[in-house]
Coordinates of all heavy atoms in Angstrom, one line a residue:
M1094 N -2.2 -4.9 -30.3 CA -2.7 -5.7 -29.2 C -3.5 -4.8 -28.3 O -3.0 -3.7 -27.9 CB -1.6 -6.3 -28.5 CG -2.0 -7.2 -27.3 SD -0.6 -8.0 -26.6 CE -1.2 -8.2 -24.9
E1095 N -4.7 -5.2 -28.0 CA -5.5 -4.4 -27.1 C -5.3 -4.8 -25.7 O -5.2 -6.0 -25.4 CB -7.0 -4.6 -27.5 CG -8.0 -3.8 -26.7 CD -9.4 -4.1 -27.1 OE1 -9.6 -4.6 -28.2 OE2 -10.3 -3.8 -26.3
I1096 N -5.3 -3.8 -24.8 CA -5.2 -4.1 -23.4 C -6.6 -4.3 -22.8 O -7.4 -3.5 -22.9 CB -4.5 -2.9 -22.7 CG1 -3.1 -2.7 -23.2 CG2 -4.5 -3.1 -21.2 CD1 -2.4 -1.5 -22.7
T1097 N -6.8 -5.5 -22.3 CA -8.1 -5.9 -21.8 C -8.1 -5.8 -20.3 O -7.1 -5.5 -19.6 CB -8.4 -7.4 -22.3 OG1 -7.4 -8.2 -21.7 CG2 -8.3 -7.5 -23.8
L1098 N -9.3 -6.2 -19.8 CA -9.5 -6.2 -18.3 C -8.5 -7.2 -17.6 O -8.0 -6.9 -16.6 CB -10.9 -6.5 -18.0 CG -11.3 -6.6 -16.5 CD1 -11.1 -5.3 -15.8 CD2 -12.7 -7.1 -16.3
T1099 N -8.3 -8.3 -18.3 CA -7.4 -9.3 -17.7 C -6.0 -8.8 -17.5 O -5.4 -9.1 -16.5 CB -7.4 -10.5 -18.7 OG1 -8.7 -11.0 -18.9 CG2 -6.6 -11.6 -18.1
H1100 N -5.5 -8.0 -18.5 CA -4.2 -7.4 -18.3 C -4.1 -6.5 -17.1 O -3.2 -6.6 -16.3 CB -3.8 -6.6 -19.5 CG -3.6 -7.4 -20.8 ND1 -4.6 -7.5 -21.7 CD2 -2.6 -8.2 -21.2 CE1 -4.2 -8.3 -22.7 NE2 -3.0 -8.8 -22.4
Y1101 N -5.1 -5.7 -16.9 CA -5.1 -4.8 -15.7 C -5.2 -5.6 -14.4 O -4.5 -5.3 -13.5 CB -6.3 -3.8 -15.8 CG -6.2 -2.8 -16.8 CD1 -7.1 -2.7 -17.9 CD2 -5.3 -1.8 -16.7 CE1 -7.0 -1.7 -18.8 CE2 -5.2 -0.8 -17.7 CZ -6.1 -0.8 -18.7 OH -6.0 0.2 -19.7
L1102 N -6.0 -6.6 -14.4 CA -6.2 -7.4 -13.2 C -4.9 -8.2 -12.9 O -4.5 -8.4 -11.8 CB -7.4 -8.4 -13.4 CG -8.7 -7.7 -13.5 CD1 -9.8 -8.8 -13.6 CD2 -9.0 -6.8 -12.3
L1103 N -4.2 -8.7 -14.0 CA -3.0 -9.4 -13.8 C -1.9 -8.5 -13.2 O -1.2 -8.9 -12.2 CB -2.5 -10.0 -15.1 CG -1.4 -10.9 -15.1 CD1 -1.7 -12.1 -14.2 CD2 -0.9 -11.4 -16.4
V1104 N -1.8 -7.3 -13.7 CA -0.8 -6.3 -13.2 C -1.2 -6.0 -11.7 O -0.3 -5.9 -10.9 CB -0.7 -5.1 -14.1 CG1 0.1 -4.0 -13.4 CG2 -0.2 -5.4 -15.4
G1105 N -2.5 -5.8 -11.5 CA -2.9 -5.5 -10.1 C -2.6 -6.6 -9.2 O -2.1 -6.4 -8.0
A1106 N -2.8 -7.8 -9.6 CA -2.5 -9.0 -8.7 C -1.0 -9.2 -8.5 O -0.6 -9.5 -7.4 CB -3.1 -10.3 -9.4
I1107 N -0.2 -9.0 -9.5 CA 1.2 -9.1 -9.4 C 1.8 -8.0 -8.4 O 2.5 -8.4 -7.5 CB 1.9 -9.0 -10.7 CG1 1.6 -10.3 -11.5 CG2 3.4 -8.9 -10.6 CD1 2.0 -10.2 -13.0
T1108 N 1.4 -6.8 -8.6 CA 1.9 -5.7 -7.7 C 1.4 -5.9 -6.3 O 2.1 -5.7 -5.3 CB 1.5 -4.3 -8.2 OG1 0.1 -4.3 -8.4 CG2 2.2 -4.0 -9.5
F1109 N 0.1 -6.4 -6.1 CA -0.4 -6.7 -4.8 C 0.4 -7.8 -4.1 O 0.8 -7.7 -2.9 CB -1.9 -7.1 -4.8 CG -2.5 -7.2 -3.5 CD1 -3.0 -6.0 -2.9 CD2 -2.6 -8.4 -2.8 CE1 -3.5 -6.1 -1.6 CE2 -3.2 -8.5 -1.6 CZ -3.7 -7.3 -1.0
C1110 N 0.8 -8.9 -4.9 CA 1.6 -10.0 -4.3 C 3.0 -9.5 -4.0 O 3.5 -9.9 -2.9 CB 1.6 -11.1 -5.3 SG 0.1 -12.0 -5.5
I1111 N 3.6 -8.6 -4.8 CA 4.9 -8.0 -4.4 C 4.8 -7.2 -3.1 O 5.6 -7.3 -2.2 CB 5.4 -7.1 -5.6 CG1 5.7 -8.0 -6.8 CG2 6.6 -6.3 -5.1 CD1 6.0 -7.2 -8.0
G1112 N 3.7 -6.5 -2.9 CA 3.5 -5.7 -1.7 C 3.3 -6.7 -0.5 O 3.9 -6.4 0.6
V1113 N 2.6 -7.7 -0.7 CA 2.4 -8.7 0.4 C 3.7 -9.4 0.8 O 4.0 -9.5 2.0 CB 1.3 -9.8 0.1 CG1 1.3 -10.9 1.1 CG2 -0.1 -9.1 0.0
Y1114 N 4.5 -9.7 -0.2 CA 5.8 -10.3 0.0 C 6.7 -9.4 0.8 O 7.3 -9.8 1.8 CB 6.4 -10.7 -1.3 CG 7.8 -11.2 -1.2 CD1 8.1 -12.5 -0.7 CD2 8.9 -10.4 -1.5 CE1 9.3 -13.0 -0.6 CE2 10.2 -10.9 -1.3 CZ 10.4 -12.2 -0.9 OH 11.7 -12.6 -0.7
G1115 N 6.7 -8.1 0.4 CA 7.5 -7.1 1.1 C 7.1 -6.9 2.6 O 7.9 -6.8 3.4
V1116 N 5.8 -6.9 2.8 CA 5.3 -6.8 4.2 C 5.7 -8.0 5.0 O 6.0 -7.9 6.2 CB 3.8 -6.6 4.2 CG1 3.2 -6.7 5.6 CG2 3.4 -5.2 3.6
L1117 N 5.6 -9.2 4.4 CA 5.9 -10.4 5.2 C 7.4 -10.6 5.4 O 7.8 -11.2 6.4 CB 5.3 -11.6 4.5 CG 3.8 -11.6 4.5 CD1 3.3 -12.9 3.7 CD2 3.2 -11.6 5.9
V1118 N 8.2 -10.2 4.5 CA 9.6 -10.5 4.6 C 10.5 -9.4 5.2 O 11.4 -9.6 6.0 CB 10.1 -10.9 3.2 CG1 11.6 -11.1 3.2 CG2 9.4 -12.2 2.7
K1119 N 10.2 -8.2 4.8 CA 11.1 -7.0 5.2 C 10.9 -6.6 6.6 O 9.7 -6.7 7.1 CB 10.9 -5.9 4.2 CG 11.2 -6.2 2.7 CD 12.7 -6.5 2.6 CE 13.0 -6.8 1.1 NZ 14.4 -7.1 0.9
R1120 N 11.9 -6.1 7.3 CA 11.8 -5.6 8.6 C 12.0 -4.1 8.7 O 11.9 -3.5 9.8 CB 12.8 -6.3 9.5 CG 12.7 -7.8 9.5 CD 11.4 -8.5 9.9 NE 10.4 -7.8 10.6 CZ 9.1 -8.0 10.5 NH1 8.7 -8.9 9.6 NH2 8.2 -7.4 11.2
N1121 N 12.4 -3.5 7.6 CA 12.6 -2.0 7.6 C 11.3 -1.3 7.5 O 10.4 -1.6 6.7 CB 13.5 -1.7 6.4 CG 13.9 -0.2 6.4 OD1 13.1 0.7 6.7 ND2 15.2 0.0 6.1
A1122 N 11.1 -0.3 8.4 CA 9.8 0.4 8.5 C 9.5 1.1 7.2 O 8.3 1.1 6.7 CB 9.8 1.4 9.6
I1123 N 10.5 1.7 6.5 CA 10.2 2.5 5.3 C 9.8 1.5 4.2 O 8.9 1.7 3.4 CB 11.5 3.2 4.9 CG1 11.8 4.3 5.9 CG2 11.3 3.9 3.5 CD1 10.9 5.5 5.9
T1124 N 10.5 0.3 4.1 CA 10.1 -0.7 3.1 C 8.7 -1.2 3.3 O 8.0 -1.4 2.4 CB 11.2 -1.8 3.2 OG1 12.5 -1.3 3.0 CG2 10.9 -2.8 2.0
L1125 N 8.4 -1.5 4.6 CA 7.0 -1.9 4.9 C 6.0 -0.9 4.5 O 4.9 -1.2 3.9 CB 6.9 -2.2 6.4 CG 7.6 -3.4 6.9 CD1 7.4 -3.5 8.5 CD2 7.0 -4.7 6.3
F1126 N 6.3 0.4 4.8 CA 5.4 1.5 4.4 C 5.2 1.5 2.9 O 4.1 1.7 2.4 CB 6.0 2.8 4.9 CG 5.1 3.9 4.8 CD1 4.0 4.1 5.6 CD2 5.5 5.0 4.0 CE1 3.2 5.2 5.5 CE2 4.7 6.1 3.8 CZ 3.5 6.1 4.6
M1127 N 6.3 1.4 2.1 CA 6.2 1.4 0.7 C 5.4 0.2 0.1 O 4.7 0.3 -0.8 CB 7.6 1.5 0.1 CG 8.2 2.8 0.3 SD 10.0 2.9 -0.2 CE 9.8 2.5 -1.9
C1128 N 5.6 -0.9 0.8 CA 4.9 -2.1 0.3 C 3.4 -2.0 0.6 O 2.6 -2.4 -0.2 CB 5.4 -3.4 1.0 SG 7.1 -3.8 0.5
V1129 N 3.0 -1.4 1.7 CA 1.6 -1.1 1.9 C 1.0 -0.2 0.9 O -0.1 -0.4 0.4 CB 1.3 -0.6 3.4 CG1 -0.1 -0.1 3.6 CG2 1.7 -1.7 4.4
E1130 N 1.8 0.9 0.6 CA 1.3 1.8 -0.5 C 1.2 1.1 -1.8 O 0.3 1.4 -2.6 CB 2.3 3.0 -0.6 CG 2.3 3.9 0.6 CD 1.0 4.6 0.8 OE1 0.4 5.0 -0.2 OE2 0.7 4.9 1.9
L1131 N 2.1 0.2 -2.1 CA 2.0 -0.6 -3.4 C 0.8 -1.4 -3.4 O 0.1 -1.5 -4.4 CB 3.3 -1.5 -3.5 CG 3.4 -2.3 -4.8 CD1 3.5 -1.4 -6.0 CD2 4.6 -3.2 -4.7
M1132 N 0.4 -2.0 -2.3 CA -0.8 -2.8 -2.2 C -2.1 -1.9 -2.4 O -3.0 -2.3 -3.1 CB -0.9 -3.6 -0.9 CG 0.0 -4.7 -0.8 SD -0.3 -5.8 0.6 CE 0.1 -4.7 2.0
L1133 N -2.1 -0.8 -1.8 CA -3.2 0.2 -2.0 C -3.3 0.6 -3.5 O -4.4 0.7 -4.0 CB -3.0 1.4 -1.1 CG -3.3 1.1 0.4 CD1 -2.9 2.4 1.2 CD2 -4.7 0.7 0.7
N1134 N -2.2 0.9 -4.1 CA -2.2 1.3 -5.5 C -2.6 0.2 -6.4 O -3.3 0.4 -7.4 CB -0.9 1.9 -5.9 CG -0.7 3.3 -5.3 OD1 -1.6 4.0 -5.2 ND2 0.6 3.6 -5.0
S1135 N -2.3 -1.1 -6.1 CA -2.8 -2.2 -6.9 C -4.3 -2.3 -6.8 O -4.9 -2.7 -7.8 CB -2.0 -3.5 -6.6 OG -2.4 -3.9 -5.2
V1136 N -4.8 -2.1 -5.6 CA -6.3 -2.2 -5.5 C -6.9 -1.0 -6.2 O -8.0 -1.2 -6.9 CB -6.6 -2.1 -4.0 CG1 -8.1 -1.9 -3.8 CG2 -6.2 -3.4 -3.3
N1137 N -6.3 0.1 -6.2 CA -6.8 1.3 -7.0 C -6.8 0.9 -8.5 O -7.8 1.2 -9.2 CB -5.9 2.5 -6.8 CG -6.3 3.3 -5.6 OD1 -7.4 3.1 -5.1 ND2 -5.5 4.2 -5.2
L1138 N -5.8 0.3 -9.0 CA -5.7 -0.1 -10.4 C -6.8 -1.1 -10.7 O -7.5 -1.0 -11.8 CB -4.4 -0.8 -10.7 CG -4.2 -1.3 -12.1 CD1 -4.2 -0.2 -13.1 CD2 -2.9 -2.1 -12.2
T1139 N -7.1 -2.0 -9.8 CA -8.2 -3.0 -10.0 C -9.6 -2.3 -10.1 O -10.4 -2.5 -10.9 CB -8.2 -4.0 -8.9 OG1 -6.9 -4.6 -8.9 CG2 -9.3 -5.1 -9.2
F1140 N -9.8 -1.3 -9.1 CA -11.0 -0.6 -9.1 C -11.2 0.2 -10.4 O -12.3 0.2 -11.0 CB -11.1 0.3 -7.9 CG -11.6 -0.3 -6.7 CD1 -10.9 -0.1 -5.5 CD2 -12.7 -1.1 -6.7 CE1 -11.3 -0.8 -4.3 CE2 -13.2 -1.7 -5.5 CZ -12.5 -1.5 -4.3
I1141 N -10.2 0.9 -10.9 CA -10.2 1.7 -12.1 C -10.5 0.8 -13.3 O -11.3 1.1 -14.2 CB -9.0 2.5 -12.2 CG1 -8.8 3.5 -11.1 CG2 -8.9 3.2 -13.6 CD1 -9.9 4.6 -11.1
A1142 N -9.8 -0.4 -13.3 CA -10.0 -1.3 -14.4 C -11.5 -1.8 -14.5 O -12.1 -1.8 -15.6 CB -9.1 -2.5 -14.3
F1143 N -12.0 -2.2 -13.4 CA -13.4 -2.6 -13.3 C -14.4 -1.4 -13.7 O -15.4 -1.6 -14.4 CB -13.8 -3.1 -12.0 CG -13.5 -4.6 -11.8 CD1 -12.6 -5.0 -10.8 CD2 -14.0 -5.6 -12.7 CE1 -12.3 -6.3 -10.6 CE2 -13.6 -6.9 -12.5 CZ -12.8 -7.3 -11.5
S1144 N -14.0 -0.2 -13.3 CA -14.8 0.9 -13.6 C -14.8 1.2 -15.1 O -15.9 1.5 -15.7 CB -14.3 2.1 -12.9 OG -15.1 3.3 -13.2
K1145 N -13.6 1.0 -15.7 CA -13.5 1.2 -17.2 C -14.3 0.1 -17.9 O -15.0 0.4 -18.9 CB -12.1 1.2 -17.6 CG -11.9 1.4 -19.1 CD -10.4 1.3 -19.5 CE -10.3 1.4 -21.0 NZ -9.0 1.0 -21.4
Y1146 N -14.2 -1.1 -17.4 CA -14.8 -2.2 -18.1 C -16.3 -2.1 -18.0 O -17.0 -2.4 -19.0 CB -14.3 -3.5 -17.4 CG -15.0 -4.8 -18.0 CD1 -14.6 -5.2 -19.3 CD2 -15.9 -5.5 -17.2 CE1 -15.2 -6.4 -19.8 CE2 -16.5 -6.6 -17.7 CZ -16.1 -7.1 -19.0 OH -16.7 -8.2 -19.5
R1147 N -16.9 -1.7 -16.8 CA -18.3 -1.6 -16.7 C -18.9 -0.3 -17.1 O -20.1 -0.1 -17.1 CB -18.7 -1.8 -15.2 CG -18.3 -3.3 -14.7 CD -18.8 -3.5 -13.3 NE -20.2 -3.3 -13.3 CZ -20.9 -3.0 -12.2 NH1 -20.2 -2.8 -11.1 NH2 -22.2 -2.8 -12.2
V1148 N -18.1 0.7 -17.4 CA -18.4 2.0 -17.9 C -19.3 2.7 -16.8 O -20.5 3.1 -17.1 CB -19.1 2.0 -19.3 CG1 -19.2 3.4 -19.8 CG2 -18.4 1.1 -20.2
D1149 N -18.8 2.8 -15.6 CA -19.5 3.5 -14.6 C -18.4 4.2 -13.7 O -17.3 4.0 -13.9 CB -20.4 2.7 -13.7 CG -19.7 1.6 -12.9 OD1 -18.5 1.5 -13.0 OD2 -20.4 0.8 -12.2
L1150 N -18.8 5.0 -12.8 CA -17.9 5.8 -12.0 C -17.7 5.2 -10.6 O -17.0 5.8 -9.8 CB -18.4 7.2 -11.9 CG -18.4 8.0 -13.2 CD1 -18.9 9.4 -13.0 CD2 -17.0 8.1 -13.7
D1151 N -18.3 4.1 -10.2 CA -18.1 3.5 -8.9 C -16.6 3.3 -8.6 O -16.2 3.5 -7.5 CB -18.9 2.3 -8.7 CG -20.4 2.5 -8.8 OD1 -20.8 3.7 -8.6 OD2 -21.2 1.6 -9.0
G1152 N -15.9 2.7 -9.5 CA -14.5 2.4 -9.2 C -13.7 3.6 -9.0 O -12.8 3.6 -8.2
H1153 N -14.0 4.7 -9.7 CA -13.3 5.9 -9.5 C -13.6 6.5 -8.1 O -12.7 7.0 -7.5 CB -13.7 7.0 -10.6 CG -13.3 6.6 -12.0 ND1 -12.1 6.8 -12.5 CD2 -14.0 6.0 -13.0 CE1 -12.0 6.4 -13.7 NE2 -13.2 5.9 -14.0
V1154 N -14.8 6.4 -7.7 CA -15.1 6.9 -6.3 C -14.4 6.1 -5.3 O -13.8 6.7 -4.4 CB -16.6 6.8 -6.1 CG1 -17.0 7.1 -4.7 CG2 -17.4 7.7 -7.0
F1155 N -14.3 4.8 -5.4 CA -13.6 4.0 -4.5 C -12.1 4.3 -4.5 O -11.4 4.3 -3.5 CB -13.8 2.5 -4.7 CG -15.1 1.9 -4.2 CD1 -16.1 1.4 -5.0 CD2 -15.3 1.9 -2.8 CE1 -17.2 1.0 -4.5 CE2 -16.5 1.5 -2.3 CZ -17.5 1.0 -3.2
A1156 N -11.6 4.5 -5.7 CA -10.1 4.8 -5.9 C -9.8 6.1 -5.2 O -8.8 6.3 -4.6 CB -9.7 4.8 -7.3
F1157 N -10.7 7.1 -5.4 CA -10.5 8.4 -4.8 C -10.5 8.3 -3.2 O -9.7 8.9 -2.5 CB -11.6 9.4 -5.2 CG -11.4 10.8 -4.7 CD1 -10.4 11.6 -5.1 CD2 -12.2 11.2 -3.7 CE1 -10.2 12.8 -4.6 CE2 -12.1 12.5 -3.2 CZ -11.0 13.3 -3.6
F1158 N -11.4 7.4 -2.7 CA -11.5 7.2 -1.3 C -10.2 6.5 -0.8 O -9.7 6.9 0.3 CB -12.7 6.4 -0.9 CG -12.9 6.1 0.5 CD1 -13.3 7.1 1.4 CD2 -12.7 4.8 1.0 CE1 -13.5 6.8 2.7 CE2 -12.8 4.6 2.4 CZ -13.2 5.6 3.2
I1159 N -9.7 5.6 -1.5 CA -8.5 4.9 -1.1 C -7.3 5.9 -1.1 O -6.5 5.8 -0.3 CB -8.3 3.7 -2.0 CG1 -9.3 2.6 -1.7 CG2 -6.8 3.1 -1.9 CD1 -9.2 1.4 -2.6
M1160 N -7.3 6.8 -2.1 CA -6.2 7.7 -2.1 C -6.3 8.7 -0.9 O -5.2 9.0 -0.3 CB -6.3 8.6 -3.4 CG -5.8 7.8 -4.6 SD -5.5 8.8 -6.1 CE -7.2 9.2 -6.5
A1161 N -7.5 9.0 -0.5 CA -7.6 9.9 0.7 C -7.1 9.1 2.0 O -6.4 9.6 2.8 CB -9.1 10.3 0.9
V1162 N -7.5 7.8 2.1 CA -7.1 7.0 3.2 C -5.6 6.8 3.1 O -4.9 6.9 4.2 CB -7.8 5.6 3.2 CG1 -7.2 4.7 4.2 CG2 -9.3 5.9 3.5
A1163 N -5.0 6.6 1.9 CA -3.6 6.5 1.8 C -2.8 7.7 2.2 O -1.7 7.6 2.8 CB -3.2 6.1 0.4
A1164 N -3.4 8.9 1.9 CA -2.7 10.1 2.3 C -2.7 10.2 3.9 O -1.7 10.6 4.4 CB -3.4 11.3 1.7
A1165 N -3.8 9.9 4.5 CA -3.8 9.9 6.0 C -2.9 8.9 6.5 O -2.2 9.2 7.5 CB -5.3 9.7 6.4
E1166 N -2.9 7.7 5.9 CA -2.0 6.7 6.4 C -0.5 7.1 6.2 O 0.3 6.8 7.1 CB -2.3 5.4 5.6 CG -1.4 4.2 5.9 CD -0.5 3.9 4.8 OE1 -0.7 4.3 3.7 OE2 0.5 3.2 5.0
A1167 N -0.2 7.8 5.2 CA 1.2 8.3 4.9 C 1.6 9.2 6.0 O 2.7 9.2 6.5 CB 1.3 8.9 3.6
A1168 N 0.7 10.1 6.4 CA 1.0 11.1 7.4 C 1.3 10.4 8.8 O 2.3 10.7 9.4 CB -0.1 12.1 7.5
V1169 N 0.4 9.5 9.2 CA 0.5 8.9 10.4 C 1.7 7.9 10.4 O 2.5 7.8 11.3 CB -0.8 8.1 10.8 CG1 -0.6 7.2 12.0 CG2 -1.9 9.1 11.0
G1170 N 1.9 7.2 9.3 CA 3.0 6.2 9.2 C 4.3 6.9 9.2 O 5.3 6.4 9.9
L1171 N 4.5 8.0 8.5 CA 5.8 8.7 8.5 C 6.1 9.3 9.9 O 7.2 9.3 10.3 CB 5.8 9.8 7.4 CG 5.9 9.3 6.0 CD1 5.8 10.4 5.0 CD2 7.2 8.5 5.8
A1172 N 5.0 9.8 10.6 CA 5.2 10.3 12.0 C 5.7 9.1 12.9 O 6.6 9.3 13.7 CB 4.0 10.9 12.5
L1173 N 5.1 7.9 12.7 CA 5.5 6.8 13.5 C 7.0 6.4 13.2 O 7.8 6.1 14.1 CB 4.6 5.6 13.4 CG 3.2 5.8 14.0 CD1 2.3 4.6 13.6 CD2 3.4 5.8 15.5
I1174 N 7.3 6.4 11.9 CA 8.6 6.0 11.5 C 9.7 7.0 12.0 O 10.7 6.6 12.5 CB 8.7 5.9 10.0 CG1 7.9 4.6 9.5 CG2 10.1 5.8 9.5 CD1 7.7 4.6 8.0
L1175 N 9.3 8.2 12.0 CA 10.2 9.3 12.5 C 10.4 9.1 14.0 O 11.6 9.2 14.5 CB 9.7 10.6 12.2 CG 10.6 11.8 12.5 CD1 11.8 11.8 11.7 CD2 9.8 13.1 12.2
H1176 N 9.4 8.8 14.7 CA 9.5 8.6 16.2 C 10.3 7.3 16.5 O 11.2 7.4 17.4 CB 8.1 8.4 16.8 CG 8.1 8.2 18.3 ND1 8.4 9.2 19.1 CD2 8.0 7.0 19.0 CE1 8.4 8.7 20.4 NE2 8.1 7.4 20.3
I1177 N 10.1 6.3 15.7 CA 10.9 5.0 15.9 C 12.4 5.3 15.7 O 13.3 4.9 16.4 CB 10.4 3.9 15.0 CG1 9.0 3.4 15.5 CG2 11.4 2.7 15.0 CD1 8.4 2.5 14.5
F1178 N 12.7 6.1 14.6 CA 14.1 6.4 14.3 C 14.7 7.3 15.3 O 15.9 7.0 15.7 CB 14.2 7.0 12.9 CG 15.6 7.3 12.5 CD1 16.4 6.2 12.1 CD2 16.1 8.5 12.5 CE1 17.7 6.4 11.7 CE2 17.4 8.8 12.2 CZ 18.2 7.7 11.8
R1179 N 14.0 8.2 15.8 CA 14.5 9.1 16.8 C 14.8 8.4 18.1 O 15.8 8.7 18.8 CB 13.6 10.3 17.1 CG 13.7 11.3 16.0 CD 12.8 12.5 16.4 NE 12.8 13.5 15.4 CZ 12.0 14.5 15.3 NH1 11.1 14.7 16.2 NH2 12.1 15.4 14.4
H1180 N 13.9 7.5 18.5 CA 14.1 6.8 19.7 C 15.1 5.7 19.7 O 15.9 5.5 20.6 CB 12.7 6.2 20.1 CG 12.6 5.7 21.5 ND1 12.6 6.5 22.6 CD2 12.6 4.4 22.0 CE1 12.6 5.8 23.7 NE2 12.5 4.5 23.4
Y1181 N 15.2 4.9 18.6 CA 16.1 3.7 18.5 C 17.3 3.9 17.6 O 18.1 3.0 17.5 CB 15.3 2.5 18.1 CG 14.3 2.1 19.1 CD1 12.9 2.2 18.9 CD2 14.7 1.5 20.4 CE1 12.0 1.8 19.8 CE2 13.7 1.1 21.3 CZ 12.4 1.3 21.0 OH 11.5 0.9 21.9
R1182 N 17.3 5.0 16.8 CA 18.3 5.1 15.8 C 18.4 4.0 14.8 O 19.4 3.6 14.3 CB 19.7 5.4 16.4 CG 19.8 6.6 17.2 CD 19.8 7.8 16.3 NE 19.8 9.0 17.0 CZ 19.4 10.1 16.6 NH1 18.8 10.2 15.4 NH2 19.4 11.2 17.3
S1183 N 17.2 3.4 14.6 CA 17.1 2.2 13.7 C 15.6 2.2 13.1 O 14.7 2.7 13.8 CB 17.3 0.9 14.4 OG 17.0 -0.2 13.6
L1184 N 15.5 1.6 12.0 CA 14.1 1.5 11.4 C 13.6 0.1 11.4 O 12.7 -0.3 10.7 CB 14.2 2.0 9.9 CG 14.4 3.5 9.8 CD1 14.5 3.9 8.3 CD2 13.3 4.3 10.4
D1185 N 14.2 -0.8 12.3 CA 13.8 -2.1 12.4 C 12.5 -2.2 13.2 O 12.4 -1.7 14.3 CB 14.8 -2.9 13.2 CG 14.6 -4.4 13.2 OD1 13.7 -4.9 12.4 OD2 15.3 -5.2 13.9
V1186 N 11.4 -2.8 12.6 CA 10.1 -2.8 13.2 C 10.1 -3.8 14.4 O 9.1 -3.7 15.2 CB 9.0 -3.2 12.2 CG1 8.9 -2.1 11.2 CG2 9.3 -4.5 11.5
D1187 N 11.0 -4.7 14.5 CA 11.0 -5.6 15.6 C 11.3 -4.8 16.9 O 10.8 -5.1 18.0 CB 12.0 -6.7 15.4 CG 11.6 -7.7 14.4 OD1 10.4 -7.8 14.1 OD2 12.5 -8.3 13.8
R1188 N 12.1 -3.7 16.8 CA 12.4 -2.9 18.0 C 11.2 -2.1 18.3 O 11.1 -1.6 19.4 CB 13.6 -2.1 17.7 CG 14.8 -2.9 17.4 CD 16.1 -2.2 17.6 NE 16.2 -1.8 19.0 CZ 17.1 -1.0 19.4 NH1 18.1 -0.7 18.6 NH2 17.2 -0.6 20.6
A1189 N 10.3 -1.8 17.4 CA 9.1 -1.0 17.6 C 8.2 -1.7 18.6 O 7.3 -1.0 19.2 CB 8.4 -0.7 16.3
S1190 N 8.2 -3.0 18.7 CA 7.4 -3.7 19.7 C 7.7 -3.3 21.1 O 6.9 -3.5 22.0 CB 7.5 -5.2 19.5 OG 8.8 -5.6 19.8
E1191 N 8.9 -2.7 21.3 CA 9.2 -2.2 22.7 C 8.6 -0.9 23.0 O 8.8 -0.4 24.1 CB 10.8 -2.1 22.7 CG 11.5 -3.4 22.5 CD 13.0 -3.2 22.3 OE1 13.4 -2.0 22.4 OE2 13.7 -4.2 22.0
L1192 N 7.8 -0.3 22.1 CA 7.2 1.0 22.3 C 5.9 0.8 23.2 O 5.2 1.8 23.4 CB 6.8 1.6 21.0 CG 8.0 2.2 20.2 CD1 7.5 2.7 18.9 CD2 8.7 3.3 21.0
R1193 N 5.5 -0.4 23.5 CA 4.3 -0.6 24.3 C 4.4 0.2 25.6 O 5.4 0.3 26.2 CB 4.1 -2.1 24.6 CG 3.8 -2.8 23.3 CD 3.6 -4.3 23.6 NE 3.7 -5.0 22.4 CZ 4.1 -6.3 22.4 NH1 4.3 -6.9 23.5 NH2 4.2 -6.9 21.3
L1194 N 3.2 0.5 26.2 CA 3.2 1.2 27.5 C 3.4 0.2 28.6 O 3.2 -0.9 28.6 CB 1.8 1.9 27.6 CG 1.6 3.0 26.7 CD1 0.2 3.5 26.9 CD2 2.6 4.1 26.8

């Protein structure tokens, strides 16, 4: 059986939907963070699949850019999560709304 573009897109759509579900339902900051990363990686998979299908490098360039953004997002996100945990001794994002000035 050959793996076609449809297979890649289906896997990308399913993992993206799992990430959206996690962001909408979960209240733990680490879980939310991991769900956002899952959504970014599913978009990367879609870009790479289209790049392979069209035989050009545009998808690879976009995927590389998304990985750079994800690395920056990971650094900032983990710093925020660490601050929330130190301040509230909890990772519940509902309590993070109290961090306003």
